[in-house]
Amino acid sequence: METLAQQINIEKTKHSKIDQVDFDDLSFGSIFSDHMLVCDYKNGNWETPKIMPYGPISLDPSAKIFHYGQSIFEGMKAYKDADEQVWLFRPHDNHRRFNISAERMAMPEIPQAYFMEGLETLIGLEKAWIPSTDGSALYIRPFMFASGKGFHASPADAYKFLICLAPSGAYFSGKVKVLIEEKYSRSADGGTGFAKAGGNYAGQFYPTQLAAKKGYHQVIWTDDHKHEFIEEAGAMNIFVRLGDTLVTAPTSDRILDGITRKSILQISERENIKTEVRKITVGEVVEAAQDGSLKEMFGAGTAAVISPIATFGYRGKDYDLPELENSYASRLKKRIVDIQYNRAEDPFGWRYGI
């Protein structure tokens, strides 16, 4: 019996763009590989995926993505080691979370074979697009949106699932300065904050623009009730080091269950770094900054892995964090990246070879 991968029709591009790419100077997510995977959901079933040249897609103006925002995505990376072997990092967790997002947005789940075999087939075709420069990787964007037509405010009857690939360099570079938000909220109880839904990110842009006008790179999101508790850092989970203890907020309706976040907690436990998963008040962080017990703050996510915060602003005052030689951020990032690039043992079974 044929596997799904054997059924995927592949239409190869006649003109590859790869020779036009400087792999030693890659921005993040702005250059795309030659091919993409596309799969349609119609009449209650997923059709056989196909791989075609990367390019525009055609949609009816009444497609419900434009009107009611049914859209979800994931962020992943493929890595190439010194022997040219290709690796993914915890891909089944991405598939699981994709379907959690789909359920919350009243969209059909994508079967594991479609997600994994489609992904492996596409990456196998595009292996040459995986950068070998240290710190770079092939960013993978699986996403789904409502393609069904109509102005009626209800879930669509048709959807498109795509996977596109972008060879990418570092997401952030340099010191990151953030502003603790006191007016706007990223999400609310009972909402969609735990899903990787497009609208969650669209709603972040305006407050982030306001912060940028004040000289900050990103916003630290607080709870929607009293803006008392620190929850996320921009589009990433947040960690705060108080003394020798690493603290992060618990997941909830408002907070994404980040795969990098989970990895940091597991590595910390293995390396005897004390961690606490609990609510963190803004007042606690400010007081710790004032008395010197605040050692580190960093964001954690697929794109940046770990992004150290150099300064945070709150109520008109900036607080600089100390520069540490042996920071938890650098130590934990090295552990994760060494597993991803197959430079160290993987005691957790996270690395997935293609």
Side-chain angles (χ1 to χ4, degrees):
M1 183 176 177
E2 279 189 323
T3 64
L4 179 68
Q6 292 171 318
Q7 298 174 42
I8 295 174
N9 180 61
I10 300 176
E11 177 193 348
K12 292 187 178 180
T13 183
K14 294 181 174 63
H15 305 286
S16 175
K17 309 182 298 285
I18 196 165
D19 292 339
Q20 303 168 24
V21 178
D22 182 357
F23 281 87
D24 293 322
D25 185 24
L26 292 168
S27 58
F28 183 87
S30 59
I31 297 168
F32 306 99
S33 73
D34 286 327
H35 300 90
M36 62 184 183
L37 179 137
V38 181
C39 186
D40 285 297
Y41 179 89
K42 296 178 180 177
N43 302 315
N45 292 292
W46 286 104
E47 298 180 348
T48 303
K50 51 191 174 184
I51 291 174
M52 61 180 63
Y54 180 91
I57 54 177
S58 177
L59 291 172
D60 192 282
S62 73
K64 291 198 174 184
I65 176 57
F66 299 134
H67 307 279
Y68 304 112
Q70 278 183 291
S71 172
I72 61 172
F73 69 94
E74 274 296 321
M76 309 168 66
K77 287 180 179 177
Y79 310 87
K80 191 182 288 182
D81 67 19
D83 297 320
E84 299 288 301
Q85 172 71 40
V86 177
W87 303 93
L88 302 176
F89 183 72
R90 305 187 70 165
H92 292 98
D93 288 316
N94 291 99
H95 171 250
R96 189 178 304 113
R97 190 172 64 184
F98 193 83
N99 281 340
I100 289 171
S101 299
E103 180 181 21
R104 180 61 183 86
M105 301 303 291
M107 301 168 77
E109 293 188 358
I110 189 82
Q112 181 171 301
Y114 282 71
F115 191 94
M116 292 300 301
E117 293 184 41
L119 179 59
E120 291 186 51
T121 304
L122 180 62
I123 293 176
L125 181 65
E126 303 287 70
K127 182 178 178 180
W129 283 86
I130 304 175
S132 54
T133 306
D134 193 45
S136 298
L138 184 67
Y139 185 78
I140 304 165
R141 174 55 61 88
F143 61 106
M144 187 205 306
F145 61 86
S147 56
K149 298 181 288 185
F151 292 147
H152 189 270
S154 61
D157 60 1
Y159 296 86
K160 278 188 178 292
F161 171 70
L162 293 89
I163 304 177
C164 297
L165 310 175
S168 297
Y171 191 77
F172 286 119
S173 59
K175 296 180 178 180
V176 177
K177 185 179 180 181
V178 300
L179 178 66
I180 295 179
E181 180 58 52
E182 291 192 89
K183 178 179 179 180
Y184 297 98
S185 298
R186 176 187 173 274
S187 57
D189 287 340
T192 61
F194 67 92
K196 283 190 77 71
N200 290 343
Y201 296 80
Q204 295 183 32
F205 295 155
Y206 177 65
T208 304
Q209 284 180 339
L210 295 180
K213 290 178 180 177
K214 299 177 182 178
Y216 298 92
H217 300 99
Q218 269 294 353
V219 165
I220 296 290
W221 299 106
T222 51
D223 66 284
D224 63 306
H225 299 297
K226 297 181 180 179
H227 298 284
E228 180 183 359
F229 298 101
I230 281 176
E231 297 201 325
E232 291 202 346
M236 298 184 286
N237 295 118
I238 188 167
F239 284 82
V240 177
R241 178 181 171 185
L242 302 171
D244 289 331
T245 302
L246 202 55
V247 187
T248 193
T251 55
S252 67
D253 285 348
R254 302 187 305 273
I255 298 176
L256 186 73
D257 186 14
I259 293 166
T260 306
R261 173 188 177 276
K262 291 191 287 191
S263 302
I264 288 169
L265 290 172
Q266 289 176 260
I267 291 172
S268 296
E269 181 181 4
R270 182 179 175 86
E271 301 208 354
N272 297 315
I273 294 174
K274 185 180 178 183
T275 60
E276 293 179 1
V277 178
R278 62 170 175 82
K279 291 185 174 182
I280 314 163
T281 67
V282 175
E284 182 181 9
V285 172
V286 171
E287 184 179 342
Q290 292 170 337
D291 68 22
S293 60
L294 178 63
K295 303 300 183 185
E296 298 179 65
M297 293 174 67
F298 55 84
T302 298
V305 186
I306 289 176
S307 181
I309 293 168
T311 302
F312 74 87
Y314 182 64
R315 294 187 175 176
K317 183 176 179 179
D318 285 346
Y319 298 85
D320 294 326
L321 280 82
E323 294 188 17
L324 306 178
E325 283 190 17
N326 299 305
S327 67
Y328 285 177
S330 59
R331 175 178 168 186
L332 291 166
K333 182 174 183 177
K334 185 178 188 305
R335 295 290 187 274
I336 292 173
V337 169
D338 282 351
I339 290 173
Q340 291 170 335
Y341 286 92
N342 194 29
R343 295 195 291 244
E345 67 167 322
D346 176 15
F348 307 97
W350 293 336
R351 200 162 46 222
Y352 184 91
I354 294 182

